[in-house]
């Protein structure tokens, strides 16, 4: 994978949870180990598309940085930084605001969901969020982007922006058209309280999610209390239709053990949820306990965390600044 350049972003808006871990950070680590050039960004500019308490934004940015490191990302191997410190992101985003069409933005389902009923009151930033995301990726000429299912549409928009720019300015292949990497059993971890909703830091009940900072007894309790149904674990995957909570717990188990869902079903078929929950809680604790301890340790040294981000942003600038310069030149900006 040597010629590939991976870019991905995570919003520093709160604790990372199991969904972020299995769906994103764990895969970031795998890609790092495959020797690809990896750039992982804490997208603080995206975070403020909804108002953030400044103290919380600072705290959350450092917490996610700590979680990245605790999960196995290495600052010497991957580039880890926060978006606002590399100006190329905002500057290229402006250019892309002028490339993307309003019609494209109007099709974004995430905007519709996040803005809710009162679209007039949503921030303009929330509306042009996908152009900033395109800038994140294209400022590095990234070739591959690990994202969850919910970001697929934004990545398609990024591809459209790259193609339109290349075409409008007659610079074929200047911006590479990036590929999404959507893989893994648990790209979508669902809420423990409602298997039809994604596990999310914005859901009111903390019992709906496992946070990377949860203590072990709390993890055990959350799994024991997770919603299930009255049937036993079936023999076949097809029988999980309309049983989203059962499917979710089995999926999490599969992801933690690197098994397919079918293999996991074979292990548990015919038994009740008690056995699955006990084994799942044990596994989760084994996996998350060292991470939890490491996050706590790292958070005691904020100076170190800040220095990691600072060095990361310096390395990021070395890649992004010349690409931005070249973009200005292509457009005809006088220097
Ligand atoms: N929009 C992404 C999310 O909410 C975060 C993100 C911002 C991102 N910029 C990115 C992901 C660039 C991948 C690449 O999950």
């Amino acid at each position: 994978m040597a010629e590939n350049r991976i870019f991905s972003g995570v919003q520093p808006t709160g604790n990372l949870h199991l969904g972020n871990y299995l769906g994103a950070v764990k895969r970031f680590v795998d890609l790092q180990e495959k020797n690809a050039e990896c750039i992982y960004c804490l997208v603080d500019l995206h975070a403020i598309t909804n108002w953030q308490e400044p103290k919380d934004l600072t705290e959350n940015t450092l917490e996610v940085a700590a979680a990245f490191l605790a999960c196995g990302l290495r600052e010497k191997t991957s580039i880890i930084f926060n978006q606002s410190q590399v100006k190329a992101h905002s500057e290229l985003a402006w250019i892309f605001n002028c490339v993307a069409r309003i019609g494209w933005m109007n099709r974004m389902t995430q905007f519709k969901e996040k803005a809710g009923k009162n679209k007039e009151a949503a921030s303009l930033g929330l509306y042009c969020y996908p152009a900033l995301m395109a800038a994140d990726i294209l400022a590095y000429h990234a070739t591959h982007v690990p994202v969850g299912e919910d970001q697929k549409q934004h990545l398609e928009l990024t591809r459209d922006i790259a193609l339109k720019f290349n075409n409008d300015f007659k610079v074929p292949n200047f911006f590479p058209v990036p590929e999404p990497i959507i893989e893994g059993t648990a790209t979508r971890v669902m809420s423990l309280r409602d298997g039809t909703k994604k596990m999310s830091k914005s859901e009111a009940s903390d019992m709906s999610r496992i946070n990377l900072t949860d203590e072990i007894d709390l993890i055990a309790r959350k799994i024991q209390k997770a919603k299930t149904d009255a049937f036993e674990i079936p023999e076949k995957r097809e029988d999980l239709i309309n049983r989203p909570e059962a499917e979710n717990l089995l999926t999490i188990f599969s992801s933690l053990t690197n098994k397919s869902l079918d293999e996991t079903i074979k292990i548990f078929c015919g038994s009740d949820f008690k056995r699955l929950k006990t084994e799942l809680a044990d596994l989760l604790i084994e996996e998350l306990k060292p991470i939890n301890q490491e996050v706590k340790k790292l958070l005691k040294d904020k100076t170190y965390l800040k220095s990691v981000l600072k060095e990361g942003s310096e390395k990021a600038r070395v890649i992004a600044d010349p690409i931005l310069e070249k973009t200005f030149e292509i457009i005809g900006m006088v220097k």
Side-chain angles (χ1 to χ4, degrees), residues 3-16:
E3 282 144 47
N4 292 338
R5 184 176 280 158
I6 314 283
F7 184 98
S8 198
V10 171
Q11 292 200 45
T13 43
N15 269 335
L16 289 190

Side-chain angles (χ1 to χ4, degrees), residues 7-11 43 46 83 110 114 129 133 136-137 145-147 150-151 154:
F7 184 98
S8 198
V10 171
Q11 292 200 45
V43 291
H46 277 109
Q83 190 184 27
Q110 189 169 67
K114 287 203 178 170
Y129 176 120
M133 179 161 160
D136 297 340
I137 299 165
V145 185
V147 279
D150 62 329
Q151 295 299 314
H154 289 161

